[in-house]
Amino acid sequence: MKVVAFKRDLQGTGASRRLRNSGQTPGIIYGGTEAPVTIALDHNALFHALKKEAFHSSILDMEIDGAVQKVLLRDFQMHAFKQLVLHADFQRVDANQPLHVKVALHFENADVSPAVKLHAATISHVANEIEISCLPADLPEFLAVDLSKMDVGQSIHASELKLPKGVTIVTHGSDATIATASVPAGAVAAEAAAAKE
């Protein structure tokens, strides 16, 4: 994905406010061996790009004054109630240095799992993203979570995920729970009543 940005020299609250009023968003690029660079991006293009999942977990081609460098979106701030991006942070990417980044989880095949098909259970998504470590070239857009074999009372943990080549999960010492399957309390009571009759 390509992003076009412009260098900005003026900094501070007033300069940022004037920038936003002109339809641009202030940002910064940091990391690597170079000094941090303050930039300005087209607000509408950035706002729509942020709605795409791939924008958050892909290596982006950032073009500044004709020169392109590889970056990763690290953070962004939104206005409390307006549809306005206040600031965006990008990190330079070195092809030989592993990244630590959060990627989205896509839950698949819930409708064919025994928990849903046979027991009308509810599958709860405990986590919607997970932190991984990999080289930039191996960065996946998302990780798939296959729920097809999940039954009532079972859970899926991070260690059970199928990972693409070169990708490892950053666990922070625990095997995080990704999803659980349970029958709603009302359904259990109804089943018990039916059994009595």
Side-chain angles (χ1 to χ4, degrees):
M1 272 187 170
K2 190 173 180 183
V3 184
V4 178
F6 311 94
K7 276 189 183 167
R8 64 182 168 102
D9 301 317
L10 298 172
Q11 293 181 41
T13 311
S16 293
R17 191 181 301 116
R18 285 191 294 278
L19 202 62
R20 289 186 197 105
N21 288 342
S22 70
Q24 293 189 308
T25 300
I28 188 166
I29 301 175
Y30 58 82
T33 52
E34 298 172 51
V37 176
T38 51
I39 56 169
L41 303 112
D42 178 69
H43 177 269
N44 288 348
L46 179 63
F47 181 77
H48 291 296
L50 286 169
K51 291 182 179 178
K52 296 176 187 160
E53 185 181 75
F55 189 76
H56 296 259
S57 59
S58 297
I59 305 297
L60 309 169
D61 292 323
M62 176 78 73
E63 184 184 323
I64 306 170
D65 299 337
V68 175
Q69 51 188 308
K70 304 277 187 196
V71 298
L72 188 66
L73 176 69
R74 271 303 184 191
D75 195 18
F76 65 97
Q77 289 83 43
M78 296 292 293
H79 192 279
F81 55 88
K82 291 181 191 170
Q83 290 197 328
L84 187 67
V85 186
L86 298 177
H87 195 272
D89 296 11
F90 297 89
Q91 181 185 352
R92 288 185 193 96
V93 170
D94 181 343
N96 303 312
Q97 292 294 320
L99 295 169
H100 277 241
V101 64
K102 287 187 176 176
V103 294
L105 296 171
H106 284 198
F107 295 89
E108 299 172 350
N109 304 321
D111 51 338
V112 297
S113 71
V116 173
K117 243 179 143 171
L118 304 177
H119 307 289
T122 304
I123 294 182
S124 303
H125 301 168
V126 180
N128 289 318
E129 59 182 17
I130 195 160
E131 192 175 346
I132 61 165
S133 174
C134 65
L135 288 172
D138 298 327
L139 181 63
E141 199 174 303
F142 61 86
L143 291 179
V145 183
D146 184 12
L147 303 173
S148 62
K149 294 182 176 68
M150 195 170 190
D151 210 339
V152 173
Q154 292 182 338
S155 19
I156 291 180
H157 294 88
S159 60
E160 298 169 57
L161 295 178
K162 281 192 180 134
L163 301 174
K165 183 177 149 288
V167 175
T168 55
I169 288 175
V170 180
T171 57
H172 300 293
S174 65
D175 191 9
T177 303
I178 303 298
T180 60
S182 56
V183 178
V188 173
E191 269 181 31
K196 274 186 185 175
E197 289 170 11

